[in-house]
């Protein structure tokens, strides 16, 4: 006879997932349902994803972490996973778009994060079900806190959810079962067996997220598109990461700061070079200056320079990324253009 198991937030903890399935003796005809957040934080998100995609009788719900990837809202944990997936990342995003936000069995309603007590299942908001920032804000406005829905729930059918770490054991209250027991933080990975609501757990081998944060700092920083990032965004990134004390990271960030500052320092030289370029065009083409100037991608600067109206502020507004500054500098023949090391 087949069984049904609902597993809490896995967050890339593949080894613990394998230990848990071995402990419960999971068979091919058993149903395995994930409440979502199968990726991020742990070190083996790709392996967990492959497991669920390839295993028969498996359901994965959309958690806020899958939704972050799908919506392109990438913070550090998502940046890491994007690198880990590599060429498979687009396929992963397609899969994220295909999974549902709730699942109902004869014994329980399963969601990732929350359930409005006064709405039917079909009327639930996706951002609430998956625990996105927008959904949490909506619940805070409605209940006072995002977790208060549990106290208000009066439904006959139990709700099983994850998202909120409950400690080492599931939180059972008002016919709801919170089963995120913090596996990625060194806690437990929990599954509930239906219909008996039997709890199964394995202890995580370590604090995976703490380890991942330390080991992926440089690869994530190196993968950022610094060249096409606006200078003010680079400044914000540097300020945001200034707390990091790891020598290798500090050295990398210091290099980015020097490189971007050196490119910004080219503005006066670019204005002089544009003036010289204009003088050469006027000398060579005379009355046909306008016709000739229109051939260049930086023609706006040429016309402003010819009218003595080009200012550093003009360059700051439109020449606002390292790539744009370097491209114009190369076009004008400037030497010693700073390069990112």
């Amino acid at each position: 006879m087949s069984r049904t198991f609902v597993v809490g937030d896995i967050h890339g903890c593949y080894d613990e997932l394998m230990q848990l399935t071995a402990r419960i003796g999971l068979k091919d005809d058993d149903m395995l349902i994930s409440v979502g957040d199968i990726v991020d934080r742990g070190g083996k998100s790709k392996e967990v994803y492959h497991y669920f995609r390839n295993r028969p009788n498996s359901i994965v719900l959309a958690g806020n972490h899958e939704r972050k990837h799908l919506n392109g809202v990438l913070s550090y944990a998502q940046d890491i996973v994007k690198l880990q997936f590599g060429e498979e990342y687009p396929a992963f995003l397609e899969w994220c778009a295909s999974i549902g936000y709730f699942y109902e069995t004869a014994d329980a309603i399963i969601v990732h994060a929350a359930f409005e007590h006064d709405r039917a299942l079909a009327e639930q908001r996706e951002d609430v079900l998956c625990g996105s920032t927008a959904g949490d804000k909506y619940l805070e406005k409605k209940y006072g806190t995002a977790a208060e829905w549990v106290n208000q729930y009066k439904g006959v059918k139990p709700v099983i959810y994850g998202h909120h770490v409950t400690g080492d054991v599931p939180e059972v209250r008002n016919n709801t079962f919170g089963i995120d027991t913090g596996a990625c933080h060194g806690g437990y990975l929990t599954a509930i067996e239906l219909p008996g609501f039997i709890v199964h757990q394995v202890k995580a081998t370590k604090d995976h997220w703490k380890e991942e944060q330390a080991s992926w700092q440089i690869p994530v920083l190196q993968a950022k598109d610094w060249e096409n990032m606006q200078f003010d965004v680079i400044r914000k990134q540097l300020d945001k990461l200034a707390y990091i004390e790891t020598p290798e990271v500090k050295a990398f960030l210091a290099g980015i700061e020097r490189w971007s500052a050196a490119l910004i320092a080219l503005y006066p030289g670019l204005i002089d070079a544009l003036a010289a370029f204009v003088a050469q065009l006027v000398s060579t083409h005379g009355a046909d200056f306008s016709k000739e100037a229109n051939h260049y991608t930086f023609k706006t600067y040429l016309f402003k320079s010819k009218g003595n109206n080009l200012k550093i502020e003009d360059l700051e507004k439109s020449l606002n990324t390292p790539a744009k500054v370097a491209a114009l500098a190369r076009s004008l023949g400037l030497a010693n253009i700073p390069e990112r090391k």
Side-chain angles (χ1 to χ4, degrees), residues 38-53:
I38 68 168
V39 297
D40 297 345
R41 296 180 177 165
K44 296 185 177 181
S45 292
K46 192 174 179 180
E47 289 84 346
V48 176
Y49 162 70
H50 284 165
Y51 176 79
F52 277 100
R53 287 215 65 171

Side-chain angles (χ1 to χ4, degrees), residues 41-323:
R41 296 180 177 165
K44 296 185 177 181
S45 292
K46 192 174 179 180
E47 289 84 346
V48 176
Y49 162 70
H50 284 165
Y51 176 79
F52 277 100
R53 287 215 65 171
N54 296 326
R55 184 190 181 277
N57 300 315
S58 295
I59 298 290
V60 177
L61 301 183
N64 58 304
H65 282 254
E66 285 80 20
R67 191 171 169 108
K68 285 180 180 180
H69 284 283
L70 183 60
N71 291 339
V73 182
L74 308 186
S75 57
Y76 187 36
Q78 291 77 52
D79 284 336
I80 292 172
V81 165
K82 185 176 181 180
L83 290 178
Q84 290 173 335
F85 273 69
E87 293 181 354
E88 283 191 62
Y89 192 66
F92 168 67
L93 295 182
E94 288 183 15
W95 175 82
C96 286
S98 72
I99 59 179
Y101 284 81
F102 64 85
Y103 190 80
E104 185 175 17
T105 73
D107 306 293
I109 296 169
I110 300 114
V111 301
H112 177 67
F115 189 96
E116 289 185 76
H117 78 285
D118 53 358
R119 284 179 182 257
L121 180 57
E123 298 172 350
Q124 296 286 320
R125 294 167 53 120
E126 289 183 350
D127 57 358
V128 167
L129 293 173
C130 76
S132 71
T133 300
D136 283 349
K137 288 181 179 178
Y138 169 83
L139 291 179
E140 289 168 5
K141 189 173 182 180
K142 179 172 183 174
Y143 292 120
T145 66
E148 180 61 21
W149 72 271
V150 171
N151 294 325
Q152 301 297 323
Y153 183 70
K154 302 295 189 293
V156 174
K157 182 171 282 191
V159 174
I160 302 174
Y161 67 98
H163 189 58
H164 301 284
V165 178
T166 63
D168 289 346
V169 296
E171 181 174 278
V172 182
R173 187 153 41 102
N174 280 359
N175 214 17
T176 69
F177 295 75
I179 60 170
D180 180 1
T181 44
C184 66
H185 302 295
Y188 289 81
L189 184 61
T190 296
I192 287 186
E193 180 180 352
L194 300 177
F197 288 83
I198 303 167
V199 175
H200 303 273
Q201 290 186 300
V202 294
K203 181 75 168 68
T205 58
K206 56 188 172 183
D207 187 330
H208 295 283
W209 181 219
K210 183 178 180 180
E211 186 175 279
E212 287 291 286
Q213 289 183 80
S215 64
W216 280 90
Q217 286 176 329
I218 291 297
V220 166
L221 289 173
Q222 289 174 334
K224 286 184 179 294
D225 190 9
W226 297 101
E227 280 77 9
N228 293 297
M229 199 180 292
Q230 293 186 10
F231 286 115
D232 61 336
V233 176
I234 291 176
R235 181 70 265 163
K236 289 176 182 177
Q237 287 284 312
L238 294 174
D239 291 343
K240 180 181 178 181
L241 299 169
Y243 73 94
I244 299 176
E245 294 296 332
T246 308
E248 188 179 6
V249 175
K250 287 174 70 71
F252 180 89
L253 295 175
I256 293 293
E257 185 165 26
R258 288 191 300 269
W259 167 70
S260 60
L263 286 165
I264 291 172
L266 290 180
Y267 287 150
L270 288 171
I271 289 179
D272 292 341
L274 284 163
F277 198 86
V278 166
Q280 181 62 40
L281 287 179
V282 170
S283 174
T284 304
H285 300 282
D288 289 331
F289 167 83
S290 296
K291 181 179 179 180
E292 185 63 24
N294 278 319
H295 292 159
Y296 296 94
T297 57
F298 49 93
K299 59 186 178 182
T300 300
Y301 302 137
L302 296 177
F303 286 111
K304 275 184 170 288
S305 181
K306 188 173 184 295
N308 293 317
N309 292 321
L310 184 61
K311 300 178 177 61
I312 287 180
E313 290 80 4
D314 298 318
L315 299 186
E316 289 174 340
K317 289 178 181 178
S318 55
L319 213 65
N320 56 359
T321 70

